[in-house]
Amino acid sequence: MTLAELRRRSGELLPALAEQLAEGTWRPGPVREIRFPTYTGKPMVACVPTLIDRLVHRVLRNAIEPILEARVLRDWVSGYRPRRNRMTALRQAAAFSEAGFRMVADVDVASVSDGVTVEEVVDWCAAHIHDGTFLTRVRTALSAMPHPIAPGSGLAPMLINLRLSRVDALLDGLRVVRFADNYVVFARDRDHAQDAFTTIAEALVQFGLRPNQSKSRVRAQANVEDLFLIGG
């Protein structure tokens, strides 16, 4: 189905979809896998749901996101959030750098979308949402994907933030900025930066994650504008 067709038939399709969601009879359609190289040369697979299912993903995200914004996500987290992007992360980073904290622990999280089950993701949601019917709809939507945080899902970006929020909760007290899956901690000297690097690495391990060894390091006198670059 094209977006144009959905618009033409919205008076018919959307009430029917709302009824299916209310009654619990909605079932996702097939997922199309698209393989392509990113501009860094890394191969990527996007798992694209049907247009109707993408609407459902968006509806679920619209319901969950305000709860995460109000209760869960730290102020120093940008990316995959309303009105927060790389520029907001850079402004926060620049404030630390200008205050004299020039040594940086730069930790990129490896494979943040991988290694979890649908039930684990539903449990993350259930920590903040207590409506069982709603959680059942989340489970149904995620079960149709090849894995629950598969790229292409309208829920995946928000779920990455939800997954990392458990790590974030262990980092209070650090001068930290996170953009998407990249943590940067600012310190006055190399020893403190190395300690911060270890703190983040240990926090990641607690939740089945790890630093990307090729991208994670302690940097001296980092240029703020070079932070949070894809492939950097």
Side-chain angles (χ1 to χ4, degrees):
M1 181 184 296
T2 64
L3 183 58
E5 181 181 354
L6 176 62
R7 286 172 173 161
R8 287 195 303 270
R9 299 177 57 196
S10 60
E12 162 203 350
L13 294 173
L14 297 187
L17 177 61
E19 183 176 348
Q20 291 169 13
L21 289 169
E23 295 179 351
T25 58
W26 170 74
R27 294 294 179 269
V31 173
R32 181 174 60 185
E33 292 192 1
I34 300 176
R35 299 176 181 272
F36 59 94
T38 65
Y39 76 89
T40 62
K42 178 182 177 181
M44 181 175 179
V45 178
C47 305
V48 183
T50 66
L51 189 55
I52 290 290
D53 292 353
R54 276 180 272 162
L55 280 180
V56 174
H57 286 206
R58 183 73 249 187
V59 167
L60 295 173
R61 180 173 174 175
N62 286 350
I64 298 171
E65 204 164 52
I67 297 171
L68 302 187
E69 288 294 317
R71 304 179 187 176
V72 180
L73 298 179
R74 268 39 181 187
D75 183 61
W76 41 265
V77 172
S78 291
Y80 309 143
R81 298 180 66 181
R83 298 174 298 281
R84 287 175 179 260
N85 51 34
R86 182 172 178 268
M87 295 308 299
T88 59
L90 288 177
R91 282 196 290 268
Q92 291 175 323
F96 286 127
S97 181
E98 291 166 6
F101 301 98
R102 301 293 180 82
M103 192 67 68
V104 166
D106 189 349
V107 181
D108 185 89
V109 183
S111 304
V112 71
S113 300
D114 298 340
V116 295
T117 67
V118 170
E119 289 308 314
E120 286 177 305
V121 176
V122 172
D123 284 347
W124 303 342
C125 295
H128 311 290
I129 298 166
H130 309 300
D131 185 316
T133 299
F134 182 84
L135 293 173
T136 297
R137 303 298 179 270
V138 173
R139 180 183 290 106
T140 301
L142 296 180
S143 295
M145 303 299 295
H147 55 94
I149 316 183
S153 161
L155 294 168
M158 179 192 67
L159 293 177
I160 289 173
N161 268 338
L162 180 56
R163 184 179 198 181
L164 292 178
S165 71
R166 303 179 305 156
V167 177
D168 300 345
L170 302 180
L171 305 182
D172 290 340
L174 297 179
R175 300 177 189 89
V176 59
V177 180
R178 173 164 71 81
F179 174 65
D181 59 358
N182 187 187
Y183 291 90
V184 176
V185 181
F186 294 82
R188 289 198 184 278
D189 55 52
R190 180 171 291 275
D191 287 344
H192 285 95
Q194 188 61 57
D195 288 345
F197 188 103
T198 301
T199 297
I200 295 177
E202 290 177 347
L204 289 170
V205 168
Q206 288 191 42
F207 299 104
L209 294 164
R210 59 182 174 79
N212 183 320
Q213 295 298 324
S214 66
K215 296 182 180 180
S216 302
R217 58 200 178 276
V218 172
R219 301 192 197 190
Q221 302 295 323
N223 182 345
V224 168
E225 292 188 4
D226 291 337
L227 300 174
F228 313 119
L229 295 175
I230 296 174

